[in-house]
Amino acid sequence: MSSQARSRPVSIPTLNAMKRRGEKFAALTAYDAMFAELVSRAGVDVLLVGDSLGMVLQGHDSTLPVTLEDVIYHMECVKAGNQGSLIMADLPFMTYASESQSLESAAALMRAGAHMVKLEGGAWLAESTRLLTERGIPVCAHMGLTPQSINRLGGYRVQGRNTEKANAIIEEATILEESGASILLLECVPVELGRTITERVDVPVIGIGAGPHTDGQIMVMHDMLGLTPSIMKPPKFVKNFLPESTSGIPGAFEAYASAVKEGRFPAPEHCFN
Ligand code: KIV
């Protein structure tokens, strides 16, 4: 699909069916109406209103300063431009520290137009995941490198590199699936761990720096347009799709969506082994 509105909106059952058929899906961050429309029309299935907005829009050096009000504002903008993609919204740092807080924060994002929410963490999210899911709020559990925990992790590093740590992430993925998570998102893990978790769970798995075997791929929009500031080395899993486009930014979104769906991205040079 390219440059056209969808005949049917993407839903969680759509992504489940794609996983069953072995079809890859594409996801990208979006923060405003115009880019949401372009990304959605380019055939990107999932738009994430990510707390990465704290870094790429607000200029902070982490996602920690982002507030729930910030995400609600950008959520409303993205909703206005969306052309049938599934919209996922991030619960920012310290807006889901307890179960009741997670319910209140997630409800605010759903009222602003999100179709599901994303939380970062592992097994400790099990009860919140169950609570939200039972009350009609689908959950994506973000695992592996969780940027909101940057101060505990000590840097943006690959997670699950040894057997013990990899097994812990696999165990937590299973717990979160059993607790009702509709999607798992794996960030910065070795290819084999991405493959094992994707094969082991029934729910769709989205990867960023998690290898080619996950059911979907996601990137920060600014990264795939080559907008990483020149003083920063882009992470290994980033690819700039703008040079492949003959029609500017919309063409870069189409090139990204096709490369993901056809299994051409990520290539070995974007993966951790
Ligand atoms: O906030 C964000 O953009 C994210 C992606 C890195 C997946 O969580």
Side-chain angles (χ1 to χ4, degrees):
M1 194 189 114
S2 70
S3 293
Q4 57 196 22
R6 294 164 187 281
S7 49
R8 295 182 68 178
V10 178
S11 63
I12 290 167
T14 314
L15 300 179
N16 289 336
M18 288 175 88
K19 175 165 182 143
R20 281 197 301 275
R21 292 195 297 265
E23 270 175 47
K24 303 277 183 195
F25 61 88
L28 262 184
T29 64
Y31 315 98
D32 67 24
M34 188 176 284
F35 278 108
E37 177 164 349
L38 293 176
V39 170
S40 189
R41 281 190 190 279
V44 172
D45 306 283
V46 179
L47 307 182
L48 168 66
V49 184
D51 60 359
S52 50
L53 71 88
M55 298 172 86
V56 296
L57 301 189
Q58 297 175 335
H60 298 298
D61 63 0
S62 79
T63 58
L64 272 57
V66 176
T67 65
L68 189 61
E69 289 67 33
D70 292 334
V71 179
I72 289 172
Y73 171 80
H74 290 282
M75 179 59 241
E76 287 170 348
C77 297
V78 166
K79 179 177 185 243
N82 182 33
Q83 301 293 313
S85 301
L86 181 92
I87 311 179
M88 184 188 290
D90 260 343
L91 280 171
F93 179 63
M94 282 301 143
T95 64
Y96 52 103
S98 67
E99 286 152 38
S100 59
Q101 191 194 21
S102 67
L103 192 55
E104 246 178 67
S105 304
L109 292 179
M110 299 299 281
R111 283 191 202 104
H115 300 128
M116 70 185 304
V117 298
K118 175 161 82 60
L119 296 77
E120 292 182 12
W124 70 271
L125 290 175
E127 277 318 305
S128 291
T129 300
R130 196 183 309 282
L131 186 72
L132 298 186
T133 305
E134 282 172 354
R135 282 153 185 79
I137 303 179
V139 168
C140 171
H142 181 153
M143 308 177 65
L145 173 59
T146 47
Q148 291 174 16
S149 303
I150 190 65
N151 291 302
R152 184 174 54 77
L153 298 175
Y156 296 98
R157 299 204 184 96
V158 182
Q159 304 295 307
R161 275 227 193 250
N162 64 43
T163 310
E164 192 191 333
K165 291 196 169 136
N167 284 341
I169 297 176
I170 295 169
E171 167 81 15
E172 295 200 297
T174 312
I175 291 172
L176 288 168
E177 181 185 35
E178 281 167 3
S179 306
S182 298
I183 296 183
L184 302 182
L185 188 149
L186 289 178
E187 178 164 355
C188 279
V189 297
V191 170
E192 275 315 311
L193 182 53
R195 183 211 289 264
T196 304
I197 292 176
T198 305
E199 287 174 356
R200 199 156 298 186
V201 300
D202 289 328
V203 296
V205 178
I206 306 180
I208 174 166
H213 304 294
T214 56
D215 305 299
Q217 297 289 333
I218 188 162
M219 243 205 285
V220 171
M221 180 204 290
H222 293 61
D223 287 341
M224 58 76 61
L225 293 175
L227 294 175
T228 318
S230 52
I231 46 157
M232 279 170 62
K233 192 167 165 272
K236 185 176 183 184
F237 53 79
V238 162
K239 177 174 173 184
N240 175 4
F241 281 87
L242 201 51
E244 287 184 18
S245 168
T246 50
S247 55
I249 288 173
F253 295 146
E254 286 173 18
Y256 167 72
S258 314
V260 169
K261 287 167 188 249
E262 291 164 16
R264 289 181 285 106
F265 178 80
E269 66 268 25
H270 306 118
C271 300
F272 303 104
N273 290 305

